[in-house]
Amino acid sequence: MHQPLIGVTACQRHIEGHDSHMVVNKYVNALRQAAGVEVVLLPALEQGLAPGILERLDGLCLTGSYSNVEPRHFGQAPWPDDCRYDVDRDGSALSLIRQARQLKLPMLGICRGLQEMNVAYGGSLHHRLQEQAGMLDHREPAHEWKDSHYDPAHGINLNPDGLLYRLTQQAEFMVNSLHQQGINRLGEGLIAEALAPDGLIEAISDPSLPFALGVQWHPEWQPDQHPLYQAIFTAFGAACARHQSTICA
Ligand SMILES: N[C@@H](CCC(=O)NCCCC(=O)O)C(=O)O
């Protein structure tokens, strides 16, 4: 049997004078090397992708992105500042999550991907966490050196009844942090898998599905050096392989 084939969400970017669909290499590398799956890019289309695509795949990965989910998707007015949006990414991601739920397709959301999952489940997001009373500054360090942006930034406590604790048998971890939006109202049917020291929900899952996990941090960054990050990709790859075997049975 072939490796499981999973769809990874693209973002819209203007590259070398052309509007482009793109994904950062580290997501593809971690999925292929740490999860053991093959990857196809799912274009970012505001109207969403046609039904029938996810039926041909064994999993869905929703990547991070510097752009932000438009607040209209959770019933709020546009943010007051010149926030960076990606309407095509929003359209694709939210429709893919809804389709994946119906298909019970394994789903892994990373950073923006967690936020999209929460919104697709009817939840809402904080904007500019660093301006919320009592919240940590969850943004990456201001300096330019990219690699250090993914250094461990804060601790998380795992839900002892959650998937991540079952996978790791460890209650606390340090994770990286590169975001300024975060979960406000938790979506219907999701559970909190991990909390930051300020109480922010840092990971979610839908226990009614075979595998539906969202994490606010970036496990695709050097998973071979972080047991928690590796455990996430190992479990996602295994869930995609199980899905593939049920579909091919
Ligand atoms: N824009 C949102 C989500 C942040 C996010 O996904 N960051 C990713 C950084 C680039 C990468 O590593 O892919 C927010 O600010 O909360």
Side-chain angles (χ1 to χ4, degrees):
M1 184 161 323
H2 299 298
Q3 297 290 86
L5 184 62
I6 72 116
V8 62
T9 50
C11 295
Q12 275 289 345
R13 288 290 187 281
H14 197 72
I15 300 172
E16 296 176 346
H18 295 281
D19 290 336
S20 308
H21 300 270
M22 62 79 77
V23 63
V24 177
N25 287 4
K26 56 190 171 73
Y27 296 102
V28 175
N29 296 341
L31 287 164
R32 299 187 73 244
Q33 294 157 21
V37 300
E38 286 303 337
V39 174
V40 288
L41 186 65
L42 298 174
L45 301 170
E46 185 176 5
Q47 69 273 25
L49 276 71
I53 292 174
L54 290 187
E55 284 84 340
R56 286 174 260 180
L57 298 174
D58 304 309
L60 172 66
C61 180
L62 301 130
T63 66
S65 176
Y66 289 110
S67 66
N68 299 293
V69 179
E70 281 197 278
R72 65 183 174 89
H73 292 297
F74 44 94
Q76 291 184 15
W79 307 121
D81 48 21
D82 58 344
C83 187
R84 181 173 173 181
Y85 294 122
D86 184 341
V87 294
D88 292 301
R89 167 68 190 252
D90 286 351
S92 282
L94 295 174
S95 69
L96 286 166
I97 293 164
R98 293 175 182 125
Q99 291 175 40
R101 279 184 81 177
Q102 288 172 348
L103 294 169
K104 300 189 186 311
L105 190 73
M107 186 173 7
L108 173 61
I110 297 172
C111 205
R112 192 196 213 263
L114 162 136
Q115 297 166 0
E116 290 161 343
M117 289 174 67
N118 190 58
V119 170
Y121 275 70
S124 66
L125 303 176
H126 286 299
H127 182 52
R128 291 187 179 280
L129 285 164
Q130 62 275 12
E131 295 173 6
Q132 308 285 329
M135 301 304 283
L136 297 174
D137 186 342
H138 287 259
R139 292 174 294 181
E140 61 272 29
H143 55 71
E144 280 305 303
W145 192 49
K146 271 283 190 235
D147 283 10
S148 68
H149 290 182
Y150 297 87
D151 288 345
H154 65 69
I156 56 168
N157 280 291
L158 300 193
N159 176 348
D161 299 321
L163 168 63
L164 288 177
Y165 185 80
R166 281 200 307 279
L167 292 177
T168 61
Q169 295 300 302
Q170 185 172 321
E172 297 178 11
F173 287 92
M174 289 295 290
V175 294
N176 55 41
S177 186
L178 297 91
H179 64 106
Q180 57 179 328
Q181 297 199 338
I183 290 176
N184 185 353
R185 184 182 68 251
L186 185 61
E188 193 69 33
L190 294 173
I191 67 165
E193 284 278 341
L195 298 180
D198 57 8
L200 183 74
I201 295 174
E202 284 272 336
I204 56 178
S205 68
D206 176 351
S208 75
L209 296 178
F211 190 99
L213 175 68
V215 295
Q216 187 65 80
W217 62 90
H218 287 267
E220 82 284 359
W221 184 260
Q222 299 175 349
D224 57 331
Q225 296 179 33
H226 298 79
L228 171 63
Y229 301 3
Q230 181 58 60
I232 290 168
F233 281 99
T234 300
F236 179 55
C240 294
R242 285 194 298 274
H243 184 85
Q244 181 187 40
S245 61
T246 57
I247 296 302
C248 296

